[in-house]
Amino acid sequence: MTDIRVIIPAVNEGDSIAKVVEEIPDSVSEIIVVNNGSTDDTVENAEKAGATVLTENRKGYGYACLNGMEYVDKQSKKPDIIVFIDGDYSDYPEELDKIVAPILENDIDFVVGARKKSLREPGSMTPQQVFGNQLATFLMRLFFGAKFTDLGPFRAIKYEKLKALEMEDKTYGWTVEMQLKILRKKMSYIEVPVRYKQRIGVSKVSGTVKGTIFAGVKILGWIFKYSLK
């Protein structure tokens, strides 16, 4: 049986985290929620829903993901696939089986859930998110011949391939770093269209001016850094 682990970075997702955990399919071996400085009942609700909860006090999406990976690395039995999903309930956790299918059926290395406009709930992505995704993926096509259309957070990757990427970004550049390294290392990838709905609570990135600007700078920084290599 394929061993699939899920890593969920979470900051003040007390109203949504249990829904995310509970709706993840039974095909998953372990759900790991990385609490990244929550001041609400995120931890309690995640534990009640059946997740393993870790603590990462250094603030940053990448820090949380790296914490989850470090936890998995220390386990004697390593997984076959790692899935990342946000804890805000904007994705549809039950679509996880669809996300991992290309890996299981066609031996693809990496799958990203693409939030197609036709499948998105109105208002689920802010104008700055839409613009940022379009700009980033356009530049990735221009510089690297990429076929990505989204930097969606709902993604799956073979565990050994994830390790080979040697991920390092600590904050908002995590998703684009992963995709750029996939391209650089010529790993196989595919996008799978996924539904997307309005998140529960306020986004820590697109919901604030500071978060939006910082995320944009980080994403563009990674793209230009790799375009010069």
Side-chain angles (χ1 to χ4, degrees), residues 10 23 28 43 55 76 156 205-206:
E23 292 182 19
V28 168
V43 171
T55 298
S76 57
V205 181
S206 60

Side-chain angles (χ1 to χ4, degrees), residues 15-53:
D15 293 335
S16 59
I17 194 64
K19 295 177 183 292
V20 176
V21 172
E22 290 167 354
E23 292 182 19
I24 287 175
D26 293 336
S27 54
V28 168
S29 306
E30 185 177 22
I31 301 169
I32 303 155
V33 172
V34 186
N35 175 41
N36 196 209
S38 299
T39 54
D40 64 358
D41 52 1
T42 294
V43 171
E44 179 183 359
N45 291 346
E47 289 176 339
K48 283 182 178 178
T52 298
V53 179

Side-chain angles (χ1 to χ4, degrees), residues 15-216:
D15 293 335
S16 59
I17 194 64
K19 295 177 183 292
V20 176
V21 172
E22 290 167 354
E23 292 182 19
I24 287 175
D26 293 336
S27 54
V28 168
S29 306
E30 185 177 22
I31 301 169
I32 303 155
V33 172
V34 186
N35 175 41
N36 196 209
S38 299
T39 54
D40 64 358
D41 52 1
T42 294
V43 171
E44 179 183 359
N45 291 346
E47 289 176 339
K48 283 182 178 178
T52 298
V53 179
L54 310 177
T55 298
E56 175 53 71
N57 292 319
R58 294 169 297 181
K59 298 301 284 286
Y61 187 89
Y63 271 126
C65 291
L66 289 168
N67 184 303
M69 287 175 58
E70 183 179 357
Y71 165 80
V72 172
D73 290 343
K74 290 178 179 178
Q75 296 182 338
S76 57
K77 187 179 186 299
K78 301 299 189 287
D80 300 299
I81 298 171
I82 295 288
V83 174
F84 294 93
I85 186 173
D86 282 351
D88 58 15
Y89 203 51
S90 53
D91 292 297
Y92 288 77
E94 65 268 27
E95 292 193 314
L96 182 143
D97 287 337
K98 184 167 75 170
I99 292 284
V100 301
I103 299 177
L104 298 176
E105 298 169 8
N106 301 310
D107 201 32
I108 297 295
D109 295 324
F110 171 69
V111 183
V112 59
R115 300 164 292 184
K116 300 294 185 183
K117 184 176 181 180
S118 60
L119 298 178
R120 292 199 310 258
E121 183 178 285
S124 57
M125 287 182 69
T126 63
Q128 56 266 36
Q129 277 181 297
V130 174
F131 174 76
N133 264 292
Q134 290 177 340
L135 177 59
T137 54
F138 167 75
L139 292 173
M140 289 166 77
R141 286 195 300 274
L142 182 66
F143 293 137
F144 311 105
K147 297 178 181 178
F148 290 120
T149 65
D150 195 11
L151 306 179
F154 197 4
R155 49 186 55 207
I157 184 170
K158 292 177 181 176
Y159 173 73
E160 291 301 332
K161 296 296 184 179
L162 176 60
K163 290 290 295 177
L165 295 182
E166 299 180 329
M167 294 292 293
E168 58 188 272
D169 193 89
K170 311 300 192 300
T171 53
Y172 302 128
W174 174 271
T175 55
V176 73
E177 177 195 0
M178 185 180 294
Q179 285 166 251
L180 287 169
K181 287 183 171 180
I182 292 286
L183 295 169
R184 273 290 184 199
K185 293 181 179 291
K186 300 190 184 308
M187 295 181 186
S188 58
Y189 67 91
I190 193 172
E191 289 189 338
V192 172
V194 294
R195 294 175 292 160
Y196 199 69
K197 58 184 178 295
Q198 299 230 25
R199 59 158 292 139
I200 294 176
V202 178
S203 171
K204 287 70 180 177
V205 181
S206 60
T208 66
V209 174
K210 178 182 177 181
T212 300
I213 294 173
F214 188 42

